[in-house]
Amino acid sequence: MASIIVIIVIHSILKNISEGLENKGIAQITYYVQYILIVTLMMTNFVQILDVIKESIQSLVGFMNSLIPILITLMITTGSVVSANLIQPIILFVITFIGNFITGIIIPLVLISTSLGIVSKISDKVQIDKLSKFFKSSVVWVLGVVLTLFVGLVSIEGSLSSSVDGITAKTAKAAVSSFIPVVGKILGDAVDTVIGCSSILKNATGIVGIVIITGIVVLPIVKLAVLMGIYYLGSALCQPIADSKIVSLLDQMGDTFKTFLAIMCSVSVMFIIGVTLVIKISNSGMMYR
Amino acid sequence: MLKIKNKQLVNLKLWIIILSFICICIIPHNVQASEETINSESIMKSQQEALNINSFIQEADKYTKDVYEDLDMGELFTSAITGNIDNGTIINSILRAVRWRSF
C-alpha cells in the first residue's frame, strides 16, 4: 500500500506541473502510467490472496468430507438411525456443491466484477461500473440463499427425525427391559451406557472438528480483513491528493476483499453450523430417554 | 380303580416337585458373568478403536499444523471427552499464528 501511495503522490506532483504547462496530453499519459503501475501492484496482492482462498476452501471441503462420515457413524451408534440416513446425503452433497460452486462460479464472478471495475476507471468514456456492482451484489445474494437453504434443510429434517429416533430408542429399551426375563433391566442399562459413551465421543469429535475448521479459515479471514482495511484507509488518505477515479479504484479493491471476506466467513459459519447441528440433532434425540 | 390311579398321579406330581426343589437347592450356582461393573472408559476406548477415530485425529492434525503449532489434537480430543477444554491455549495459538504467519 505504501508503494501505491508513493505513486499517487508522485502523480499528483506531475499532474500539477503538467497543468501548469497547460498540456493535457502529458497529464493523460502520466495518469495512464500511474494507473498501470497501481493496478500491477494491486494484482500481485490479489493473485496471492486468491490462491490462499481457493486452497483454504479445498482444505475445508476435504476436512469436512472426512469429518462428516465419522460424525454420522457416531450418530448411528447413539441410535439416531433415521436422522443419520436423512442428514448424511444432504450434508455431503451440500458441502461438495458449495466447494465446487464457490471455486467454479462465485470466485470467477468476483474476478469478472473486479476486472470490469478496473476497466471502467481507466477513462470516463467506458463506463461499466453498474455491471460490476450487479455481479458483486448477486454473489452476496447467492451466498445468502445457499447459507439459508443449507441451515434450514438440515435443521428442519434433523428436528423431525430426532423425535422419531428418540421414541424408537425409548421403545426398544422398554421392550428389552420388560420382555427379556431376569437380565432385561441390566441389558437396558448397558445399552444406555454404550449410547452415552458414543454420545460423548461424538460431541468430542465435533468439538475437535470445529476447532480445526476455525484453524483452517482463521488466517485467510484475518488476511482479508487487514487487506480490506488497508485499501479503505488508503482510499481515505489519498482522497485529498489523488484523482477521483484512483480513489474509487482503491474503494473497489476494498469492496472486492470485502466480498472475499464474506465468502470465507459464510462458508466457515455454514460448516460450523452444520457440525453443530449434527451434534445437537442426536443429542436432542437422547432427551426422549 | 380310578381313585387309586388318581392318587398315584398326585403322588407322582408331588415327588417331581420335591425332587425339582431339592435339585435347585443342591446344584451349585455357576454364573458366567464377571463381577466387574461396566467401565465407561473401556467402552469409549473400544469405540475409538472400532471407529478409527485416532487416525481421523492424526489426519486432522495435518490441516492445522501451521496454525496450532503447540496444540496437540489428541490432547484436545481427550480434554473434550472429559469436558476440560482449555480455551486459553486455543486462542493463544491462534493469536500467535496470526501474529507471526499472516504477514
Side-chain angles (χ1 to χ4, degrees), chain A residues 167-204:
Chain A
I167 289 161
T168 314
K170 196 183 176 185
T171 318
K173 198 201 156 192
V176 166
S177 302
S178 17
F179 297 143
I180 299 173
V182 188
V183 288
K185 175 85 173 64
I186 300 166
L187 268 178
D189 288 346
V191 167
D192 255 356
T193 314
V194 172
I195 287 173
C197 290
S198 301
S199 181
I200 291 168
L201 275 179
K202 177 181 56 69
N203 294 350

Side-chain angles (χ1 to χ4, degrees), chain A:
Chain A
M1 195 66 217
S3 38
I4 291 173
I5 291 173
V6 168
I7 290 167
I8 289 168
V9 170
I10 292 168
H11 172 257
S12 63
I13 293 165
L14 284 173
K15 195 183 167 190
N16 281 329
I17 293 168
S18 59
E19 273 173 6
L21 293 169
E22 289 181 4
N23 192 339
K24 278 187 178 177
I26 293 171
Q28 201 69 28
I29 288 164
T30 51
Y31 172 74
Y32 286 139
V33 170
Q34 172 217 25
Y35 197 81
I36 289 164
L37 279 172
I38 289 171
V39 169
T40 314
L41 281 170
M42 282 191 310
M43 280 306 120
T44 50
N45 261 342
F46 193 69
V47 171
Q48 278 172 4
I49 204 75
L50 209 62
D51 286 341
V52 171
I53 291 166
K54 278 185 178 171
E55 206 176 291
S56 56
I57 285 173
Q58 275 162 5
S59 302
L60 264 181
V61 172
F63 173 68
M64 286 297 282
N65 280 335
S66 62
L67 173 71
I68 292 297
I70 286 187
L71 275 181
I72 297 289
T73 317
L74 283 163
M75 258 179 97
I76 292 169
T77 57
T78 58
S80 308
V81 184
V82 181
S83 308
N85 283 334
L86 267 175
I87 287 169
Q88 189 176 23
I90 296 171
I91 285 193
L92 286 177
F93 166 73
V94 171
I95 286 165
T96 318
F97 170 74
I98 286 168
N100 292 329
F101 186 68
I102 285 173
T103 48
I105 293 171
I106 298 278
I107 290 178
L109 270 179
V110 178
L111 283 176
I112 290 168
S113 153
T114 311
S115 46
L116 285 175
I118 289 169
V119 168
S120 71
K121 277 161 195 85
I122 290 176
S123 74
D124 295 327
K125 287 170 190 169
V126 188
Q127 284 301 312
I128 36 177
D129 219 20
K130 295 278 177 195
L131 195 62
S132 156
K133 276 178 188 167
F134 166 73
F135 279 128
K136 212 165 272 178
S137 62
S138 53
V139 162
V140 175
W141 272 98
V142 168
L143 267 177
V145 169
V146 171
L147 180 71
T148 315
L149 274 177
F150 173 70
V151 176
L153 269 174
V154 174
S155 54
I156 288 169
E157 293 214 348
S159 57
L160 284 171
S161 55
S162 67
S163 328
V164 178
D165 282 327
I167 289 161
T168 314
K170 196 183 176 185
T171 318
K173 198 201 156 192
V176 166
S177 302
S178 17
F179 297 143
I180 299 173
V182 188
V183 288
K185 175 85 173 64
I186 300 166
L187 268 178
D189 288 346
V191 167
D192 255 356
T193 314
V194 172
I195 287 173
C197 290
S198 301
S199 181
I200 291 168
L201 275 179
K202 177 181 56 69
N203 294 350
T205 313
I207 288 165
V208 171
I210 288 169
V211 170
I212 289 166
I213 291 170
T214 316
I216 293 170
V217 295
V218 74
L219 287 184
I221 283 177
V222 170
K223 271 184 184 178
L224 283 168
V226 171
L227 275 172
M228 184 191 76
I230 285 173
Y231 273 96
Y232 281 142
L233 183 72
S235 79
L237 287 175
C238 292
Q239 201 175 17
I241 50 165
D243 199 282
S244 63
K245 278 181 282 184
I246 297 294
V247 174
S248 60
L249 176 73
L250 293 177
D251 253 345
Q252 164 98 31
M253 285 310 286
D255 284 345
T256 304
F257 287 123
K258 193 161 79 178
T259 314
F260 281 137
L261 186 65
I263 291 171
M264 283 307 294
C265 286
S266 55
V267 170
S268 52
V269 165
M270 207 183 304
F271 288 169
I272 287 171
I273 289 174
V275 174
T276 318
L277 277 174
V278 169
I279 297 170
K280 289 298 285 179
I281 284 163
S282 52
N283 282 356
S284 60
M286 286 190 75
M287 297 281 280
Y288 286 88
R289 286 164 210 168

Side-chain angles (χ1 to χ4, degrees), chain A residues 59-60 62-63 66-67 70 73-74 77 186 189-190 193-195 197-198 200-201 203-205 207-209 211-212 214-216 218-219 222-223 226-227, chain B residues 38-41 43-45 47-48 51-53 56-57 59-61 63-64 66-68 71 73 76-77 80-82 85 90 94 97-98 101-103:
Chain A
S59 302
L60 264 181
F63 173 68
S66 62
L67 173 71
I70 286 187
T73 317
L74 283 163
T77 57
I186 300 166
D189 288 346
T193 314
V194 172
I195 287 173
C197 290
S198 301
I200 291 168
L201 275 179
N203 294 350
T205 313
I207 288 165
V208 171
V211 170
I212 289 166
T214 316
I216 293 170
V218 74
L219 287 184
V222 170
K223 271 184 184 178
V226 171
L227 275 172
Chain B
I38 299 166
N39 190 0
S40 55
E41 273 182 31
I43 293 170
M44 276 197 261
K45 265 189 182 174
Q47 281 184 339
Q48 275 185 53
L51 296 171
N52 225 354
I53 290 175
F56 159 72
I57 287 167
E59 186 68 27
D61 234 352
Y63 286 101
T64 50
D66 297 339
V67 182
Y68 302 126
L71 202 70
M73 284 300 150
L76 181 74
F77 183 71
I81 286 171
T82 50
I85 295 174
I90 299 169
I94 288 173
V98 167
R101 299 233 170 214
S102 358
F103 303 99

